[in-house]
Amino acid sequence: MLVTGLGDIDSIYITKQDIGSLALTGMQQLSSLDPELTIEGGKGELKLLQNKSLIEAETLADGADASAKQWGKAAAKLLREARAKSPKVAAAGSEKIYEAIFTGIVGKLDGFSRYSGIEAAREDKASRDGFGGIGVRISVEDGEVRITAIMHYTPAERLGLKRDDVILKIDGKSVEGLTQQQVVNQLRGEVDSRVVLTLLRDGRDEPFDISVKRAHVVPETVSYRREGEIAYFRVFSFNSETANSLKREINDAKDEIGKKIKGYVLDLRNNPGGYVPQSVATANLFLDEGRIVSIHGRHPDSHQYFEATDGDIAGGKPIAVLIDGNSASAAEIVAAALQDNGRAVLIGTNSYGKGTVQNIKPLPNQGEIKLTWARFHAPSGYTLHHLGVLPTICTAGKHNSDELLSELRAGDLPKVPAVKRNAAKPDDTEALDALRKTCPARKNEDPVDLELALKLIQQPSLYANAVNLADPPDDAQVDDAAEALLPFVP
């Protein structure tokens, strides 16, 4: 565990780390399990003390230049000794020990790197890649297990399960006293295996049984509704099926609205992100050509470029993308790609600014360590991290869509400060913060965003004017702006 975790950090983390310092910090968390234990060290040495008396010391031959493998082995020896000498550490069990140590280690990294134990990793993987299940969401309140939602295209939908059905038994065993996670675990299982539910439903006098064959279920991340002659899509996050789900919903919208369809609204507000490849595939749905995103880090494999391929599913029709202060990561990739390629008008406020990508590495205990290993760059070149995406039309502090349209029509809306944005250095937080203040991030959704989007799409010439407010700068403009930002040297 320790050799693997420290080795992964040493290999792929976005900046080079002092592995000895990380090992020391992680091992010092043993005191949270037994206050009588302390860990000291530095410059190629780790010491385990109990009540201030030395128990074990490990001195690395290569000193402060020791490898991650050497530090991991040294820490493991101290951990074995701690288990032998401390009943509290021994009683804590492996998972609590790993959680304490790795939480300490990743706590010295950035805020997006984290450790997940066995259970958390299993749930994270299910959210990303899916699981064997029946396709329902449940709640457990006052001892009652109630179905709160039925996912589309799942066994539950095909067999007619309904929202508000109450689950009394699973495979003949009462669910009374079970936690929500325990119920979820019983509903999930091998694909093609069967589970028998005993249900109570409004309108039926007696409980009844239904046998459901489990399938591979990926949590839904896309919803669609018709807004007159405009198709509205809400994307909640990005998992392994998001792009396919959105494509399917778009085709459903085309069938429902027909040739009268005037445009599309893509709502990315409160979207925390997810799979980078899915954000690329989502942006690619609406593009015929152009850069979508580039990624750069310390590890050679982190340098990646993603280009659009021919096939705009929207056929060039207007697109409005809604963003806010909770739109992050993969959501920001989609927003920046469509804005920089002149394919959409972004409406809302400055996004979150999580412009880093995490690499998920499996650990020997079936847990995971998620490590930041690269930064996103928008098609026009600027770094999304800390800055985020600036909307084409800022609605911060604005609550009247007609007034915003009037300002746009009169040419009074400010252009996106693209030159300053692209000239700002990734580590110049002062310049980035100043740019963010031009359209302060809003955390709560405001109806004005959608109202403006729907009205703008219905006015093609005005929509075209809005798109031009976010024209990316050329290289010469950026170079001049960057030179102007440099300190004067006599």
Side-chain angles (χ1 to χ4, degrees), residues 151-361:
M151 300 181 196
H152 294 308
Y153 317 106
T154 64
E157 183 182 59
R158 288 191 289 271
L159 287 175
L161 271 69
K162 297 181 181 295
R163 182 178 177 177
D164 288 331
D165 281 351
V166 175
I167 300 176
L168 302 177
K169 297 179 182 180
I170 300 176
D171 287 332
K173 297 180 180 179
S174 172
V175 297
E176 186 176 354
L178 298 183
T179 65
Q180 180 156 322
Q181 189 58 54
Q182 288 172 327
V183 175
V184 168
N185 291 342
Q186 290 192 21
L187 291 175
R188 292 180 184 175
E190 293 293 325
V191 172
D192 293 333
S193 64
R194 285 192 174 273
V195 60
V196 177
L197 306 181
T198 302
L199 302 175
L200 186 64
R201 178 178 293 171
D202 285 346
R204 297 187 63 160
D205 295 333
E206 299 293 332
F208 62 98
D209 289 345
I210 187 168
S211 177
V212 188
K213 188 177 183 180
R214 295 182 178 98
H216 182 71
V217 175
V218 179
E220 290 180 321
T221 58
V222 180
S223 68
Y224 155 71
R225 72 171 184 261
R226 180 175 180 172
E227 292 280 351
E229 296 177 348
I230 297 170
Y232 168 89
F233 305 95
R234 185 69 181 254
V235 182
F236 299 97
S237 63
F238 290 87
N239 65 16
S240 61
E241 281 296 310
T242 297
N244 283 334
S245 296
L246 180 58
K247 183 177 181 180
R248 185 169 55 234
E249 296 290 356
I250 290 172
N251 287 328
D252 287 348
K254 287 179 175 180
D255 289 340
E256 180 182 9
I257 303 173
K259 294 181 179 179
K260 296 183 297 182
I261 193 166
K262 290 186 174 178
Y264 301 82
V265 175
L266 192 63
D267 194 342
L268 300 179
R269 293 175 298 179
N270 285 306
N271 184 318
Y275 266 1
V276 172
Q278 285 296 306
S279 69
V280 172
T282 296
N284 193 37
L285 288 175
F286 303 103
L287 296 171
D288 284 321
E289 61 181 358
R291 173 71 50 84
I292 294 175
V293 69
S294 61
I295 300 173
H296 303 284
R298 180 170 63 95
H299 194 281
D301 290 346
S302 70
H303 300 293
Q304 301 175 53
Y305 300 86
F306 298 91
E307 303 290 333
T309 55
D310 186 41
D312 176 3
I313 194 171
K317 289 188 179 293
I319 300 171
V321 177
L322 311 185
I323 59 172
D324 65 7
N326 292 322
S327 305
S329 190
E332 294 176 292
I333 289 177
V334 174
L338 297 183
Q339 184 186 55
D340 271 3
N341 283 287
R343 188 62 191 88
V345 172
L346 271 54
I347 297 172
T349 70
N350 204 106
S351 63
Y352 185 89
K354 184 200 174 284
T356 57
V357 58
Q358 283 66 47
N359 193 322
I360 300 171
K361 306 292 286 186

Side-chain angles (χ1 to χ4, degrees), residues 5-23:
L6 291 172
D8 288 337
I9 294 170
D10 189 44
S11 174
I12 72 168
Y13 188 68
I14 191 167
T15 56
K16 186 68 175 175
Q17 294 293 303
D18 182 339
I19 300 299
S21 176
L22 293 180

Side-chain angles (χ1 to χ4, degrees), residues 122-139:
R122 184 180 295 124
E123 286 303 308
D124 289 346
K125 191 173 188 299
S127 296
R128 297 191 304 263
D129 301 329
F131 51 86
I134 65 173
V136 298
R137 291 190 176 91
I138 62 163
S139 69

Side-chain angles (χ1 to χ4, degrees), residues 288-452:
D288 284 321
E289 61 181 358
R291 173 71 50 84
I292 294 175
V293 69
S294 61
I295 300 173
H296 303 284
R298 180 170 63 95
H299 194 281
D301 290 346
S302 70
H303 300 293
Q304 301 175 53
Y305 300 86
F306 298 91
E307 303 290 333
T309 55
D310 186 41
D312 176 3
I313 194 171
K317 289 188 179 293
I319 300 171
V321 177
L322 311 185
I323 59 172
D324 65 7
N326 292 322
S327 305
S329 190
E332 294 176 292
I333 289 177
V334 174
L338 297 183
Q339 184 186 55
D340 271 3
N341 283 287
R343 188 62 191 88
V345 172
L346 271 54
I347 297 172
T349 70
N350 204 106
S351 63
Y352 185 89
K354 184 200 174 284
T356 57
V357 58
Q358 283 66 47
N359 193 322
I360 300 171
K361 306 292 286 186
L363 292 170
N365 71 332
Q366 297 184 340
E368 297 174 340
I369 187 168
K370 182 183 289 187
L371 299 172
T372 296
W373 82 318
R375 284 179 173 171
F376 302 132
H377 293 258
S380 62
Y382 71 92
T383 305
L384 278 73
H385 193 60
H386 194 86
L387 172 60
V389 183
L390 294 170
T392 311
I393 300 178
C394 178
T395 61
K398 306 287 182 70
H399 307 288
N400 189 311
S401 58
D402 288 329
E403 287 182 4
L404 285 163
L405 286 173
S406 295
E407 290 180 41
L408 174 61
R409 193 175 290 110
D412 292 336
L413 285 183
K415 285 194 170 187
V416 174
V419 174
K420 290 183 178 179
R421 176 195 64 191
N422 284 47
K425 301 299 181 184
D427 55 354
D428 188 350
T429 55
E430 185 176 347
L432 298 178
D433 286 339
L435 285 164
R436 289 183 64 86
K437 288 178 181 177
T438 63
C439 186
R442 185 178 60 225
K443 299 291 185 179
N444 299 319
E445 293 183 16
D446 192 311
V448 71
D449 295 340
L450 181 55
E451 291 172 8
L452 179 60

